[in-house]
Amino acid sequence: MAVSPESMPEKPLDFRAPPPSPIASGRRSCVTNDDVLSEFLEHSLRVPDLILPDKVFPRQKFIENPPKIDFQLLSSMESDSVPKILDSIATIGCFQLVNYGIPGESIRSALAAAAGIFQLPPEKRTAVTRSPEKLYGFEEVHGEEEGEQSEEFVWCRGEGLKLEMEGIWTVGYSNFSEKMETLLSDIEKVAEKILLVIKESSPQKSVYENDMMQGQDIIGSACYLYKHSRNVSADQWSSSLRYDVIRMLIRGIDYSHALCLHICDECSEFHVYSKKGWVSFCPEKDALVITVGDQTQALSGGQFKHVIGRPIYKGEKEDYISMAFLYSPPPPSISSRIDQEKGKTISLSQQAMAAILLTLVYRILVYVYNKF
């Protein structure tokens, strides 16, 4: 009987592996050569040691001392002080000021009172620690920063700081605040005159003067106080300086300002940080070091160099206190309103004359009334 192809059973698929390839009798297999494979993987997967070039971290560059300007000669037509100021703030962003008229006793008294702030215990400082919402108070210290060579406190006018500080430093804060108010008033007069000279001498003042205040949160003047610790070892000082440079270049200063006036007598060096470099010099004794702020840079259209200044102390005899006063002029609207209010104010002599005139008119009216 014939069997049709359709009725025949299908053959199962053949999944047998192909026979192994022949191996030459005189050679070893690549699979069996484990030593070569292990050595190859070890070299391929090894992570190289990363060594950054020196240029990644900015090097310290010493420069000649910035010009020493006599404050009393700024208004003199024969003085070359103004061209020196403009050239210095355009190149390195700072200059030195002498004969500025602030009594030395006022400065020393404020520095002595400021030392009491840094004697407050850590548990009390916590209540007046700075934050993004609160720019005044103590700088927060993290674990890796506890060995730093300096401590920082920001003082400013305002009821908020006054109430918080009086809560933790009841006896001493009112005395300290009073001395700071007196010194700040003198500092503002100096800064106001210097900024006026810069504005009048800036060739681009008419273009950028309105933009300087636009969008700025004007808080008024403030003061950064630093306590520079003694007995810092060479290794600690070098590490702290390196950290300080990086922090200043990245973080900068929280307050927008036009000028910064530094009281840093007896400092070993003065460092000037900018986005393009880091330089240092040895300031003159009793001189104010004045650095340019972001508002003045905007005023000049970028011609004047915004920098951050910081004094460095290497002495081992005592702790040093330095101050950096940040000056911001009031906005034009506030200035015009103040001028208008001054114009509307009646002096004492005018009030006395008005009182005499009213008295005479009153007596004349009484006389006329009784006569008729």
Side-chain angles (χ1 to χ4, degrees):
M1 184 177 179
V3 180
S4 62
E6 291 80 0
S7 61
M8 294 179 64
E10 296 182 359
K11 292 183 179 181
L13 297 176
D14 192 356
F15 286 103
R16 289 179 301 171
S21 301
I23 301 175
S25 58
R27 298 175 60 187
R28 295 182 60 188
S29 169
C30 293
V31 176
T32 58
N33 194 357
D34 294 335
D35 295 337
V36 176
L37 178 61
S38 299
E39 184 178 357
F40 170 77
L41 292 176
E42 182 180 355
H43 285 284
S44 300
L45 300 179
R46 180 182 297 171
V47 178
D49 296 330
L50 188 61
I51 301 177
L52 296 177
D54 293 336
K55 290 184 179 179
V56 171
F57 183 78
R59 290 184 174 181
Q60 182 178 5
K61 179 182 177 182
F62 283 94
I63 61 172
E64 294 184 4
N65 282 11
K68 186 172 60 174
I69 306 300
D70 190 328
F71 181 73
Q72 304 302 325
L73 297 180
L74 282 180
S75 302
S76 175
M77 299 299 294
E78 300 178 357
S79 173
D80 60 348
S81 299
V82 175
K84 287 182 178 180
I85 291 176
L86 298 182
D87 180 67
S88 185
I89 63 178
T91 53
I92 60 175
C94 71
F95 64 95
Q96 301 181 91
L97 191 70
V98 297
N99 198 18
Y100 40 82
I102 300 179
E105 178 58 33
S106 177
I107 295 177
R108 288 188 294 270
S109 180
L111 291 172
I117 284 183
F118 298 104
Q119 295 175 0
L120 293 172
E123 58 271 15
K124 288 190 175 182
R125 298 188 188 190
T126 305
V128 196
T129 300
R130 293 168 58 194
S131 66
E133 299 78 23
K134 185 175 64 176
L135 299 181
Y136 58 77
F138 293 95
E139 173 70 11
E140 184 178 4
V141 178
H142 302 282
E144 66 273 14
E145 302 173 15
E146 291 180 354
E148 298 303 321
Q149 65 163 342
S150 65
E151 302 174 48
E152 182 179 314
F153 178 83
V154 177
W155 175 87
C156 63
R157 296 186 179 110
E159 288 298 319
L161 175 62
K162 179 180 178 181
L163 292 175
E164 292 185 22
M165 286 301 297
E166 286 180 346
I168 65 172
W169 193 25
T170 308
V171 178
Y173 184 74
S174 58
N175 176 57
F176 162 74
S177 183
E178 180 181 346
K179 295 181 184 300
M180 289 296 293
E181 284 280 359
T182 302
L183 181 56
L184 179 58
S185 297
D186 293 335
I187 288 286
E188 286 179 330
K189 293 176 184 177
V190 174
E192 183 179 4
K193 183 173 181 179
I194 293 173
L195 188 60
L196 180 62
V197 169
I198 293 175
K199 283 183 178 181
E200 292 178 345
S201 306
S202 176
Q204 304 183 35
K205 60 180 182 301
S206 59
V207 178
Y208 293 94
E209 188 168 3
N210 293 331
D211 296 339
M212 183 180 72
M213 293 300 177
Q214 219 165 32
Q216 296 282 3
D217 185 15
I218 303 301
I219 310 175
S221 300
C223 180
Y224 277 69
L225 294 97
Y226 301 97
K227 175 190 173 185
H228 306 265
S229 301
R230 57 183 172 181
N231 297 329
V232 178
S233 66
D235 293 339
Q236 286 179 328
W237 191 88
S238 177
S239 175
S240 175
L241 180 60
R242 189 182 183 90
Y243 171 79
D244 187 57
V245 173
I246 295 175
R247 183 180 66 170
M248 296 297 284
L249 291 175
I250 294 176
R251 192 194 70 178
I253 290 182
D254 297 326
Y255 280 86
S256 174
H257 61 287
L259 297 173
C260 185
L261 294 83
H262 302 264
I263 296 177
C264 50
D265 194 22
E266 299 185 29
C267 71
S268 305
E269 300 172 6
F270 192 88
H271 291 182
V272 179
Y273 308 115
S274 70
K275 293 181 179 179
K276 294 185 178 180
W278 164 37
V279 298
S280 60
F281 60 91
C282 298
E284 301 286 340
K285 181 176 174 58
D286 298 328
L288 288 180
V289 179
I290 300 181
T291 55
V292 170
D294 57 319
Q295 295 176 18
T296 303
Q297 178 174 277
L299 169 69
S300 67
Q303 177 184 355
F304 302 142
K305 194 173 183 180
H306 172 212
V307 297
I308 300 172
R310 188 73 180 270
I312 301 297
Y313 293 83
K314 298 181 181 179
E316 298 181 355
K317 296 181 180 179
E318 57 182 339
D319 294 339
Y320 296 95
I321 303 292
S322 68
M323 295 181 176
F325 287 88
L326 307 179
Y327 173 72
S328 295
S333 58
I334 296 179
S335 299
S336 59
R337 189 172 70 245
I338 291 174
D339 293 338
Q340 291 175 2
E341 290 176 354
K342 287 181 179 179
K344 294 178 180 178
T345 303
I346 301 175
S347 65
L348 291 176
S349 60
Q350 292 174 332
Q351 295 177 23
M353 292 178 63
I356 294 173
L357 182 60
L358 290 174
T359 303
L360 290 174
V361 172
Y362 173 76
R363 288 184 176 275
I364 292 172
L365 291 176
V366 171
Y367 173 78
V368 173
Y369 177 79
N370 293 333
K371 192 70 174 178
F372 299 99

